[in-house]
Every structure is written in C-alpha cells, then in structure tokens.
Amino acid sequence: MILQVTVGCSHNRCSFCSMYLRKKFRVRELEEIYYDIDYAANLNRNIRRIFLADGNSLTMGTDRLLSILEKLYSSFPFLERVSSYTNPQDLLEKSVEELKSLKESGLTLVYLGVETGNEEILNKINKGVTREEMIEAAVKAKEAEMQLSVTVINGLGEEEMMFEHARDTSTLLNRVEPEYLGVLTLMVAPGTPLAKQVQKGEFKTLSSRQVLEEIEIMIKHIDLSGCIFRSNHASNYLPLKGTLSEDAGELLSLIDRVLRGGETHRLRPESFRGL
Ligand code: SF4
C-alpha cells in the first residue's frame, strides 16, 4: 500500500527530476493520515508492505513518523515492512539514534537517490549535497541498520565526464555498501532545468553505446558483496540484473558481447524507453 504522508519533495531542485515539479511540498496533517490508515485497514487488514509517499517522508519530525509507524503496525497485524524514499539532507538532519528508533519501529528500508558519486556532477545537477555529505547520509542509514536501496543515473556526466562519473560513483558505493543498487539511464523530462540545458545545447545525452560503456566502467570499479543489482528499468537500454560483485564477470561478459560482439539486438529501441 502507498500511504501519502507528505506531498511532493522538500528539495525539488534536482535538474533532471520532474517527479514533483508541479506539487507544492507539504506535510499532511496527522488526522488526515490516520483517517487514511483506518480507511485502508477497514478494507484490508492483511497488507504486508507499506510505502510512505511522496518524495521524502523522512523530512517529517521523528516523533510524528514514530506515531505513524505505531498506528500502521497496530492497524495491520501482518505488516512486515514500511519503506520510504529519503533525501540525503533528511538523513543528515536526523541523528543515528533517531534513525535507529525509526528502524526499530518498523521503517526498515529507505530508498536514496545518490545519482552520482562525482562532486562536480552533484553540484551541476543541484543535488544539494557534496559527495562526502552523500556518503555520510547513507552511512547513517546503515548505522541505524536500515536496509539501503540506492539509485544512480547513467549519463549525468555527459561524454566528457563518463569515466569520472562511473569511477566516483563506484567508489562511493564501495564505501556505502548498499543492499540494493538500481542503475537508471538519464531521460530528459520536459519542463526540467535539464531539458532547457539540452535545448540550448549546454548538455548532451549519451548514446546507448556510451551508456553501456559507462555501466561497464562502473561494474569494473564496484567492489561489493551481496548487493542486489538491477538495471532493468524502462529507461535502460540493456536490461541487467545480478548480485554485485559476485555476478560482475557475467554482467561484464554480456555488456562486452553487446558492445564488441555484435549482439546489439539486445538493446531496447529508443522509442521503447520510458520513465
Ligand atoms: S531527485 Fe529526489 S530529491 Fe531530487 S527533486 Fe527529485 S524527488 Fe526531490
């Protein structure tokens, strides 16, 4: 079940993101949220997984979040997991003790958009944090023993910074050790600052071949164990999945066959890509 506890994203300034462009950020009233929980529980008490929407519910005060979690676990007796997106800023603002109390109250998984591990690109896309702050935020979630799922985006460094983007993202991931890693491919969403940069010729997207080269560099530099890796989102040219770094050889071999062995039929056509 998706439970809306906030509306929009409190940051809402990443240059590529159109998710909440038209939504003014606000935290919903507790009464409204409780009403929704009661309504859903009356319909189906057997729900096992709940996601707190929208973009960053962790921006709410810890006490408020704890009350919501308590209400959820008492309303749904079979509830196993509550998860949420988080901004790095939200993790930085909470203490590890606060995050631990949230984890112990059932917020067991957070999704963090890392996007890139490169300092210059983080700045260009207006992520609002430095590389070290991103690492600190992710490590805090890990210290609180929350499961961490991160996403990174291929193509953010354009052609000039392909290598730096891939390498620095991998070294960041190595320090953070997420349980889940999702790799998306940049799509230019209308209405975003990035779309304007593309229009003015200030930003160039990568070809499908370059995107694969970038993923190849990334996988070569990743040194993890048991990280569930997915690059099979509709934005990706080549669907990939495995466990890193255990399956790195297999993944690299597939990429190599597409890049250099003529298996280009495996690539998703541009018109089939979507967000
Ligand atoms: S990418 Fe995440 S943090 Fe950035 S504007 Fe979009 S929802 Fe907000």
Side-chain angles (χ1 to χ4, degrees):
M1 181 176 88
I2 296 174
L3 177 69
Q4 182 124 34
V5 296
T6 56
V7 178
C9 162
S10 62
H11 179 60
N12 215 10
R13 287 197 289 273
C14 298
S15 66
F16 56 87
C17 178
S18 64
M19 281 264 276
Y20 307 111
L21 269 186
R22 279 163 209 86
K23 283 190 183 178
K24 190 170 182 302
F25 178 77
R26 72 181 168 93
V27 176
R28 290 185 75 214
E29 294 297 330
L30 263 189
E31 297 70 45
E32 286 180 86
I33 297 169
Y34 284 0
Y35 176 88
D36 287 354
I37 296 172
D38 290 337
Y39 185 84
N42 274 334
L43 291 175
N44 178 9
R45 283 168 63 80
N46 300 327
I47 285 165
R48 290 174 192 270
R49 291 183 176 190
I50 294 179
F51 177 79
L52 304 180
D54 273 331
N56 59 321
S57 75
L58 263 77
T59 200
M60 293 172 94
T62 302
D63 286 348
R64 184 181 279 237
L65 272 170
L66 288 171
S67 326
I68 293 170
L69 289 167
E70 196 186 322
K71 169 92 175 152
L72 284 175
Y73 279 90
S74 61
S75 304
F76 300 99
F78 302 105
L79 186 57
E80 291 165 358
R81 179 173 101 185
V82 178
S83 60
S84 172
Y85 288 141
T86 178
N87 286 353
Q89 291 89 337
D90 303 330
L91 292 171
L92 290 173
E93 274 165 24
K94 295 213 187 295
S95 67
V96 174
E97 287 65 39
E98 284 178 288
L99 293 172
K100 260 190 191 152
S101 65
L102 290 169
K103 153 72 185 9
E104 279 157 14
S105 299
L107 181 65
T108 53
L109 169 67
V110 289
Y111 297 90
L112 174 67
V114 162
E115 333 303 3
T116 177
N118 181 270
E119 185 82 51
E120 196 178 323
I121 303 171
L122 275 172
N123 190 31
K124 276 189 188 161
I125 63 173
N126 214 6
K127 194 71 198 169
V129 288
T130 63
R131 171 183 162 92
E132 279 310 309
E133 285 170 337
M134 183 67 84
I135 292 171
E136 192 192 329
V139 167
K140 268 176 120 174
K142 296 283 297 189
E143 280 174 4
E145 295 177 15
M146 288 172 162
Q147 285 197 308
L148 181 65
S149 176
V150 305
T151 47
V152 302
I153 305 181
N154 276 130
L156 283 177
E158 306 174 79
E159 186 176 350
E160 297 83 69
M161 293 192 71
M162 266 174 60
F163 180 79
E164 289 81 359
H165 173 40
R167 179 203 56 199
D168 294 350
T169 301
S170 300
T171 56
L172 180 148
L173 295 169
N174 294 344
R175 283 180 61 187
V176 164
E177 299 183 350
E179 277 79 14
Y180 303 94
L181 166 64
V183 178
L184 312 178
T185 300
L186 183 65
M187 296 199 72
V188 181
T192 58
L194 180 71
K196 286 189 196 113
Q197 290 171 346
V198 170
Q199 243 174 11
K200 288 191 213 157
E202 294 168 2
F203 187 100
K204 289 200 174 55
T205 53
L206 298 184
S207 67
S208 54
R209 190 178 177 85
Q210 288 172 317
V211 167
L212 272 192
E213 285 169 3
E214 197 174 82
I215 296 184
E216 189 177 45
I217 302 167
M218 223 176 250
I219 294 175
K220 281 182 180 166
H221 283 80
I222 286 178
D223 183 13
L224 291 170
S225 173
C227 174
I228 308 293
F229 164 74
R230 295 285 181 268
S231 181
N232 51 4
H233 180 260
S235 67
N236 296 116
Y237 288 104
L238 179 67
L240 294 167
K241 59 180 186 173
T243 303
L244 289 176
S245 294
E246 289 84 341
D247 298 333
E250 220 171 287
L251 292 164
L252 288 170
S253 153
L254 173 59
I255 294 172
D256 187 56
R257 294 204 309 274
V258 175
L259 281 176
R260 300 163 197 103
E263 294 190 25
T264 47
H265 61 276
R266 291 180 181 273
L267 292 174
R268 182 177 276 140
E270 193 63 50
S271 56
F272 281 40
R273 292 175 68 223
L275 281 173

